[in-house]
Amino acid sequence: MKQSETTSLVAERGKWGYTWPLWTTLLLHLLAVFLFTAGFLLTRTELPHRSHCSDVSHSPCLSSNNGSCWTKPAANRLVLVVLDALRFDFVAPSTFFAESKPWMDRLQVLKNVASARPLSARIFKAIADPPTTSLQRLKGLTTGGLPTFVDVGNSFGAPAIVEDNFINQLVLNGKKVVMMGDDTWTQLFPHHFERSYPYPSFNVKDLHTVDNGCIDHLLPSLYEEDWDVLIAHFLGVDHAGHIFGVDSAPMIEKLEQYNTILERVIEVLENQSGPGKSHENTLLVVMGDHGQTLNGDHGGGSAEEVETAIFAMSFKKPISSVPPEFDSCSCQLDLDGKNVCVSSMQQLDFAVTVSALLGIPFPYGSIGHINPELYALGADSWNLDASQKLSESDIWMQNYANALCINSWQVKRYVDAYSASSAVGFSNDDLSRIASVYAQAENHWSHSTKKLLLDIQNDSDTLVPALKRQIDAYFKFLTTVSELARSKWTEFDLKMMGTGIGIMLISLIFQFLTILRANKQHGETLSSSGNSWVITGSVFTFFLLGIRACSFLSNSYILEEGKVANFLLSTSGIVALRQSVIKGKALIESIGFLILSTFCRFVIEVGLSKQAATSAFMKDYTSWIVNIASGLVVWDYAAEVVPMLALILLAAWLYNVTSGSFFDWPWKYVILGTILSYVLIIVHWITDSNKFGVALMAESIGRNYIPRIVYAIALGQLLLLGFGQLFMKNCLDYKANLVAKTTAMLSAWSSTVILLSGKQGPMVAFASIVGGALSFCTLSLYKISITCCIILQIHFWHGFTYATNICGLAMILTFRSQFHEHQTSCSLAKKYVFSHFFPGYFIMKFVDIEGGKQGPHRSFSILQWSLSATCLFFCSGHWYACNFQGVHLMASAMVLHL
Amino acid sequence: MDRRKSSEKTTWKASTMVPSPPISASEAFIVNTLCVLVLVFAFWVANSLYSINLVTDPSLTLFFIWITELPIVTLLYSRYRRNRQRCTYLGAVGRGVLGVPVGALLNFLGAVALGAPVTLQYLPKTVNWALMMSMFTTVPASCVLGSSWADWRRIFAQTKPNGSIEYLLCLPAHGAVIGAWFGAWPMPLDWERPWQEWPISVSYGAIAGYLVALVASLGFVLACGRPQNIKRE
């Protein structure tokens, strides 16, 4: 009776009258998430410009006359040893810290050299900028900029650096670069190296492959003459930190191993450094790309993570020391009673300083300044054209002032170009402030310093004070720019975030009002259809949702969200099992659901353990299956075959489904198209993998054409679907029609999704289909459909969940490192789609069809839906991919295929 | 994990079995006190004789708990068995012991579904935890109810205990499970305390829930006993 009343109500108002609040809510939420993430995900535009040797003639500075490019080269060869995740306290003597720890004083050789030869070897405390992940740091080190997580203009996923960088400058200026170690370098610079010995950084548990590979090639290469710059990137310390933590025996072993290697490297270079020998003019740099916490984590902005070390040493006869004004070093006696000095610098300054030392143009987008102490290591090679009147330190200062002049001009050029080309450039106030500071320094240069420098007759008494003032003026300009850039690229836009949260709150109020309204209309329906399970069911649902919402207020729960969601999902599964025990129905479905959630749980755990592989991202083997099974050949084959079997199973299941009576012609053809796509995907995988040595067709066909065909089929399917939706009459009963439409729609999407997500795709698809089927069963089990009121309540809670999510983020952000929030917000938008839109779609479908016939306690099923969507989200490994620009990975796969 | 309070719209049929004799409030008090004392005794043995506790050696401590609870629980609850004519005291004890592995298996599976670690290192801990949980949940019930599916379903799925002894079965079991569920929540927090490890906080939660429910069940026995006495009079 009540039922017919409601249905007539639905008929009278049309489905739009019921669904518009849902659409409005969805719109508001999307807007809120968009605004919030716009303020939260820092973006930066990459400029494609390059610096050229000839550019320097546009600058007001003195150009060198002896054929060098921008600055006079102080070193002609560079050995760059990068030790991943090198904490500052690995290098500095333990006396610099309050407490001596077991991992300190292990790299003895560096501080011994630094104390024995304070003029030609130096230890720096290098401050990196967040995000302190290897990819971003290598980018920052080589470009001299501040890379963010989302660099617009990035060539969709392929991590190769688009911006000008010092490796690129080396190649452009005819220097030969040799690389060994972490293969991230070869991904960043695919065509730059003369020779490279990349080793996979994928497996964190493997402490030795990369390091041993480095060691095998490093020492022999030192004797060779065919390179100008040698890069060796060791990963062992990073991996040891991830697996065992800093305070562990493997870490200390690794550090001691490095100590011996560095000793040998320095010995070889030393022996070859005599006049006329190959390393006469070589600079050795040993540096970390970022630090790590005691647990081995990095990525954030805490002191432990950003503080790393740079050790630089030149093998020439030391001549002069830096004038004390520019010396930032602090000295301490170490345990052996030797005096060790440690200076401090920004990692941002590394690219430009090294470029200046090597005499190549500074990277176009570099915003650092030439570090005086590091620059001073090349000091002695400039005394050739020195007049007798000036001391060496004065000559050094002349050179330095000129280098800073070029440096400032280059930074100003970049700032102008950036604000001209980027949609979200610097504000006008900031630009005019920069311009005025630059003009001031520039004035001083052209009107006094330049003249003084050109006039050789000046003695140091008049020159030196003028130079000092000049250098100070340039420092002021360069610091202003780098501060501004830091505020723009490493700090969040609180206004946008606030607006986002505000809109979220508005949408909550809106939902609340709609609920009130709907309650008024349907109040009697609700109360009359109430039975005890309905009440306890909804109480339980809201209890779980409330717990989930509250859990977002804590950072720990956000980090473990996959596990928490799975915990709640399993709990709901157990409650459903209990319910079916009471009713004695659908026992198998409930048990199946529980087994599925357990399966989900294991998949999530595998994904999380892989997430620890910080420096091991962008791999060809994105599939976790392959990751686990990389040890055995049999497993290799299994890893290849299992996804295919799963796909064949899926295809068979779909074929079975089409034989069902309620599949009309358009849906049937859509599904047949999907089966065809699956077959093509399997063929694609076979041709793609190197395991089955069968060349069924030319490789290029398999690589390029099959994905295109699959996309074309998917497009055709979607068109067909749209056509069917528009022109087919819904002659069958609603339920069957719904099932047909849903299956067709999902299958139309599935082939593309499977192709994009690689070999774990079919597993996830399989799990989601089984899960979906089971949920359908549980839905039909209760034999009750949804009223608008309940949907809105659920959405209200969802909104609340996300609002707390966002508020929690905002709260945490004020006192915690940025990295995890980056991850979270990056996944926020996608999770929103996964866990909000899909259930939302189905809810609307049900509203559409059953028009709120009766009974509100579908809420429980919707909760299950939503939780399983979240779990599947975590299963699909997006969480992991998110870390490392996985957003791009997905898109790039598609772009590459096309 | 499984049982939460709920009710059911379909009318349940009363068990056709002979109900167990009512338990007086003082008897219930003695049973519950003994259960608590045994628990305390197990902790005492672990602490003073072996100088371990739940945090330092969870699996051995849990082992002490269930091994000392087992005789007391089976011996005590078998006194209140159903169908006294057909089932001897020893038979009830026997089925109580049979209930141990069954309950442990159920609890084990539940814990794994909810995210308990399954590596070999954690296996003894999980097994001992599951055995302890079965002492709190299934063993008393299998002593009293035997294999009557209808009774099990009524008490544990529908939460409709009938009579004082069934309150003693139903409430502590639910208390232990709900306590364990809540005990899992501190685990993901980054406080880095040793007790956040599986299964320590969960065991504490289960024991706390069990103790609270024991006290609550005494209250229910009192409330249940009074009207019956009045009826008899």
Side-chain angles (χ1 to χ4, degrees):
Chain A
M1 187 185 71
K2 282 273 166 358
Q3 195 174 315
S4 58
E5 250 172 55
T6 332
T7 346
S8 62
L9 210 80
V10 171
E12 166 188 316
R13 299 185 45 168
K15 71 178 178 189
W16 183 242
Y18 278 88
T19 50
W20 74 264
L22 297 181
W23 288 111
T24 321
T25 313
L26 195 66
L27 207 72
L28 279 174
H29 280 201
L30 285 179
L31 191 67
V33 169
F34 170 76
L35 281 178
F36 184 81
T37 45
F40 193 70
L41 288 176
L42 307 163
T43 51
R44 196 176 62 101
T45 314
E46 297 182 328
L47 300 183
H49 307 304
R50 302 257 176 280
S51 297
H52 299 284
C53 257
S54 53
D55 293 348
V56 82
S57 58
H58 303 297
S59 77
C61 315
L62 299 173
S63 52
S64 52
N65 40 12
N66 51 359
S68 66
C69 194
W70 281 25
T71 50
K72 289 174 198 160
N76 47 25
R77 299 183 93 185
L78 169 70
V79 177
L80 179 61
V81 178
V82 181
L83 307 177
D84 212 292
L86 184 76
R87 283 165 64 97
F88 175 59
D89 58 4
F90 287 162
V91 176
S94 57
T95 45
F96 276 77
F97 306 96
E99 224 180 315
S100 176
K101 300 278 185 179
W103 60 85
M104 293 177 181
D105 291 324
R106 300 287 165 178
L107 290 172
Q108 291 277 354
V109 56
L110 297 184
K111 70 166 201 214
N112 288 346
V113 173
S115 78
R117 296 198 266 167
L119 293 180
S120 62
R122 263 174 188 279
I123 293 175
F124 294 89
K125 176 199 229 172
I127 313 289
D129 291 290
T132 48
T133 50
S134 292
L135 178 80
Q136 266 78 22
R137 280 302 92 224
L138 289 186
K139 234 175 170 178
L141 273 176
T142 51
T143 60
L146 292 167
T148 57
F149 268 101
V150 186
D151 284 345
V152 180
N154 193 341
S155 65
F156 268 114
I161 295 184
V162 180
E163 283 180 299
D164 197 12
N165 55 72
F166 96 85
I167 304 288
N168 185 44
Q169 286 298 338
L170 287 171
V171 175
L172 286 181
N173 289 283
K175 306 252 181 198
K176 291 180 180 128
V177 188
V178 171
M179 197 288 305
M180 56 200 65
D182 186 355
D183 58 353
T184 312
W185 284 87
T186 49
Q187 289 160 7
L188 291 175
F189 307 102
H191 311 296
H192 296 67
F193 299 123
E194 186 76 9
R195 274 187 292 142
S196 63
Y197 307 98
Y199 292 90
S201 52
F202 192 47
N203 187 1
V204 240
K205 297 214 165 138
D206 175 7
L207 301 185
H208 300 296
T209 309
V210 178
D211 289 2
N212 290 343
C214 269
I215 297 165
D216 289 346
H217 292 107
L218 177 58
L219 291 169
S221 297
L222 289 179
Y223 292 103
E224 282 162 23
E225 308 253 334
D226 63 341
W227 53 266
D228 299 297
V229 173
L230 183 146
I231 298 166
H233 190 138
F234 290 80
L235 271 183
V237 163
D238 181 61
H239 287 187
H242 282 303
I243 302 289
F244 303 103
V246 168
D247 193 0
S248 63
M251 177 65 84
I252 287 163
E253 271 169 39
K254 269 284 144 200
L255 291 173
E256 279 168 352
Q257 185 192 12
Y258 289 170
N259 193 45
T260 20
I261 296 163
L262 290 173
E263 263 171 10
R264 279 157 67 195
V265 168
I266 291 174
E267 195 184 298
V268 171
L269 292 177
E270 190 94 287
N271 292 338
Q272 299 283 316
S273 68
K277 288 198 178 162
S278 59
H279 290 297
E280 185 190 356
N281 217 354
T282 298
L283 184 69
L284 168 70
V285 175
V286 179
M287 67 185 301
D289 53 351
H290 50 73
Q292 56 181 317
T293 63
L294 290 183
N295 295 327
D297 300 327
H298 53 86
S302 71
E304 283 182 317
E305 289 160 286
V306 298
E307 283 179 9
T308 178
I310 292 180
F311 166 85
M313 177 182 188
S314 92
F315 290 90
K316 289 172 299 194
K317 189 160 62 77
I319 290 190
S320 61
S321 62
V322 194
E325 296 89 334
F326 306 119
D327 214 340
S328 68
C329 73
S330 65
C331 298
Q332 290 263 357
L333 292 181
D334 72 350
L335 291 179
D336 308 330
K338 289 184 220 154
N339 190 34
V340 180
C341 292
V342 171
S343 315
S344 174
M345 71 180 281
Q346 297 290 322
Q347 212 183 39
L348 190 64
D349 304 335
F350 177 80
V352 65
T353 313
V354 170
S355 301
L357 282 170
L358 292 173
I360 53 172
F362 308 159
Y364 191 89
S366 159
I367 50 170
H369 71 266
I370 299 175
N371 182 283
E373 291 151 285
L374 187 54
Y375 192 60
L377 292 178
D380 63 340
S381 40
W382 298 307
N383 57 352
L384 301 168
D385 54 346
S387 59
Q388 311 301 323
K389 281 187 185 173
L390 298 172
S391 70
E392 275 142 1
S393 79
D394 295 341
I395 298 167
W396 178 83
M397 217 192 289
Q398 274 187 23
N399 273 300
Y400 185 57
N402 192 44
L404 271 187
C405 171
I406 300 174
N407 190 185
S408 303
W409 163 78
Q410 166 260 329
V411 169
K412 181 75 173 48
R413 179 179 68 162
Y414 173 68
V415 171
D416 290 343
Y418 185 84
S419 44
S421 68
S422 171
V424 277
F426 298 99
S427 72
N428 283 332
D429 285 356
D430 293 332
L431 278 179
S432 60
R433 192 156 55 91
I434 291 175
S436 78
V437 179
Y438 182 70
Q440 209 181 324
E442 168 62 38
N443 253 342
H444 189 271
W445 173 263
S446 339
H447 292 118
S448 72
T449 321
K450 199 171 182 179
K451 285 175 193 151
L452 285 173
L453 283 177
L454 289 172
D455 184 4
I456 296 179
Q457 298 314 311
N458 275 312
D459 59 358
S460 61
D461 292 341
T462 53
L463 188 59
V464 168
L467 279 176
K468 279 182 185 160
R469 271 203 304 282
Q470 183 62 52
I471 290 172
D472 284 342
Y474 281 137
F475 268 7
K476 191 179 165 202
F477 165 70
L478 290 165
T479 351
T480 315
V481 173
S482 60
E483 269 168 15
L484 185 68
R486 282 214 172 84
S487 77
K488 178 134 184 66
W489 291 320
T490 62
E491 284 163 22
F492 303 112
D493 184 349
L494 291 173
K495 269 186 213 158
M496 288 277 249
M497 287 162 60
T499 325
I501 294 177
I503 290 182
M504 187 58 97
L505 289 179
I506 290 173
S507 94
L508 284 188
I509 294 166
F510 169 78
Q511 285 173 66
F512 189 70
L513 291 177
T514 338
I515 290 171
L516 282 185
R517 212 193 86 200
N519 257 336
K520 220 179 266 171
Q521 288 170 353
H522 295 273
E524 42 179 347
T525 338
L526 276 181
S527 55
S528 61
S529 68
N531 62 45
S532 49
W533 161 239
V534 171
I535 292 161
T536 41
S538 8
V539 166
F540 182 72
T541 307
F542 290 126
F543 169 71
L544 281 194
L545 266 175
I547 279 198
R548 188 162 147 68
C550 293
S551 76
F552 283 122
L553 290 172
S554 157
N555 199 20
S556 314
Y557 291 117
I558 293 176
L559 286 180
E560 301 274 5
E561 198 194 334
K563 284 184 185 171
V564 173
N566 198 259
F567 183 74
L568 293 177
L569 180 68
S570 298
T571 309
S572 77
I574 289 170
V575 172
L577 177 67
R578 183 189 140 116
Q579 205 55 34
S580 59
V581 167
I582 293 175
K583 294 195 172 175
K585 286 189 284 195
L587 208 59
I588 293 169
E589 282 91 339
S590 307
I591 292 174
F593 190 82
L594 211 54
I595 290 172
L596 188 82
S597 69
T598 314
F599 172 74
C600 263
R601 178 230 140 161
F602 287 115
V603 175
I604 290 175
E605 267 169 34
V606 170
L608 282 179
S609 70
K610 205 177 78 170
Q611 188 205 339
T614 315
S615 51
F617 41 107
M618 310 290 183
K619 282 285 85 197
D620 296 328
Y621 300 101
T622 40
S623 159
W624 52 268
I625 306 161
V626 180
N627 183 27
I628 313 169
S630 55
L632 288 162
V633 186
V634 186
W635 281 111
D636 270 9
Y637 276 103
E640 298 277 340
V641 171
V642 166
M644 294 184 195
L645 283 182
L647 204 56
I648 290 169
L649 263 176
L650 267 180
W653 180 76
L654 274 178
Y655 184 75
N656 228 3
V657 160
T658 44
S659 54
S661 57
F662 46 76
F663 278 88
D664 244 337
W665 67 265
W667 320 131
K668 205 164 205 161
Y669 289 116
V670 167
I671 289 174
L672 283 178
T674 309
I675 294 173
L676 181 66
S677 300
Y678 285 173
V679 174
L680 284 174
I681 291 173
I682 292 175
V683 173
H684 175 63
W685 282 345
I686 290 175
T687 51
D688 225 26
S689 97
N690 44 10
K691 291 278 165 355
F692 314 87
V694 268
L696 286 176
M697 54 180 89
E699 218 174 60
S700 59
I701 300 177
R703 283 258 162 86
N704 299 324
Y705 288 96
I706 290 183
R708 288 183 205 182
I709 295 171
V710 171
Y711 294 137
I713 291 176
L715 196 68
Q717 284 171 320
L718 286 180
L719 286 177
L720 205 60
L721 274 179
F723 175 78
Q725 180 74 32
L726 282 176
F727 298 108
M728 291 303 290
K729 275 183 227 154
N730 293 335
C731 47
L732 293 157
D733 69 304
Y734 285 124
K735 197 128 202 164
N737 202 10
L738 171 76
V739 171
K741 276 185 192 170
T742 325
T743 320
M745 193 197 69
L746 287 180
S747 71
W749 277 113
S750 68
S751 53
T752 317
V753 170
I754 288 174
L755 192 64
L756 287 181
S757 54
K759 286 184 182 154
Q760 77 203 42
M763 302 301 203
V764 174
F766 206 67
S768 57
I769 283 177
V770 175
L774 288 174
S775 295
F776 262 118
C777 292
T778 40
L779 285 174
S780 61
L781 166 74
Y782 301 129
K783 294 283 181 229
I784 307 157
S785 66
I786 302 148
T787 63
C788 269
C789 180
I790 269 299
I791 306 158
L792 277 168
Q793 278 179 12
I794 291 283
H795 268 241
F796 178 79
W797 276 97
H798 265 293
F800 183 64
T801 311
Y802 284 98
T804 45
N805 199 343
I806 286 176
C807 291
L809 283 175
M811 269 168 47
I812 294 153
L813 166 159
T814 48
F815 56 91
R816 290 296 291 256
S817 62
Q818 301 173 358
F819 178 55
H820 300 307
E821 284 77 57
H822 261 297
Q823 288 181 326
T824 322
S825 77
C826 178
S827 58
L828 185 73
K830 281 164 129 196
K831 212 166 62 195
Y832 188 86
V833 174
F834 260 80
S835 64
H836 202 129
F837 188 73
F838 284 128
Y841 174 80
F842 281 98
I843 290 162
M844 270 170 238
K845 270 318 214 184
F846 277 109
V847 173
D848 181 358
I849 285 160
E850 300 181 62
K853 269 182 214 153
Q854 48 170 299
H857 71 193
R858 271 283 164 76
S859 59
F860 185 69
S861 311
I862 299 166
L863 172 79
Q864 280 196 330
W865 255 101
S866 148
L867 282 174
S868 38
T870 314
C871 286
L872 282 176
F873 167 80
F874 282 99
C875 288
S876 65
H878 282 247
W879 169 257
Y880 161 73
C882 225
N883 261 344
F884 304 106
Q885 302 186 329
V887 199
H888 291 176
L889 247 185
M890 288 285 279
S892 76
M894 195 155 185
V895 169
L896 285 179
H897 284 322
L898 289 174
Chain B
M1 328 270 102
D2 30 355
R3 289 97 210 194
R4 280 189 54 80
K5 59 173 182 280
S6 98
S7 36
E8 166 58 15
K9 65 171 178 186
T10 54
T11 53
W12 51 273
K13 286 157 198 156
S15 169
T16 49
M17 310 279 284
V18 185
S20 47
I23 179 170
S24 72
S26 52
E27 256 181 299
F29 179 74
I30 292 168
V31 168
N32 283 359
T33 317
L34 276 174
C35 286
V36 175
L37 283 181
V38 165
L39 208 58
V40 173
F41 173 73
F43 271 107
W44 178 80
V45 166
N47 208 359
S48 57
L49 296 188
Y50 290 83
S51 59
I52 53 169
N53 55 37
L54 258 181
V55 179
T56 50
D57 193 345
S59 58
L60 196 60
T61 316
L62 288 173
F63 172 76
F64 283 137
I65 292 174
W66 75 261
I67 206 76
T68 47
E69 282 271 346
L70 178 63
I72 298 297
V73 168
T74 45
L75 293 178
L76 277 180
Y77 280 92
S78 295
R79 296 183 60 233
Y80 308 103
R81 66 196 177 277
R82 287 272 163 81
N83 294 354
R84 279 167 181 273
Q85 322 68 318
R86 277 198 278 148
C87 180
T88 61
Y89 182 73
L90 278 181
V93 171
R95 67 194 189 194
V97 173
L98 268 181
V100 174
V102 177
L105 185 70
L106 282 178
N107 280 298
F108 184 87
L109 291 180
V112 169
L114 288 173
V118 282
T119 48
L120 269 183
Q121 173 202 355
Y122 283 101
L123 193 65
K125 295 178 191 172
T126 315
V127 167
N128 279 312
W129 174 83
L131 285 165
M132 181 192 77
M133 288 302 286
S134 81
M135 291 304 134
F136 295 159
T137 52
T138 53
V139 175
S142 56
C143 285
V144 176
L145 304 176
S147 56
S148 153
W149 173 245
D151 283 331
W152 280 85
R153 207 178 91 172
R154 181 166 53 79
I155 292 174
F156 289 114
Q158 298 173 358
T159 334
K160 297 244 161 124
N162 185 23
S164 47
I165 183 68
E166 289 184 358
Y167 278 107
L168 283 190
L169 301 179
C170 171
L171 285 182
H174 279 79
V177 169
I178 294 170
W181 192 86
F182 277 105
W185 278 97
M187 285 170 71
L189 291 172
D190 58 355
W191 298 344
E192 298 186 359
R193 298 295 153 87
W195 52 262
Q196 285 179 297
E197 279 273 300
W198 165 258
I200 302 163
S201 64
V202 177
S203 308
Y204 277 130
I207 292 170
Y210 179 64
L211 293 179
V212 168
L214 277 183
V215 175
S217 67
L218 273 184
F220 273 95
V221 168
L222 278 177
C224 190
R226 209 162 284 151
Q228 277 178 351
N229 288 342
I230 292 164
K231 250 182 224 167
R232 257 178 223 164
E233 281 160 11

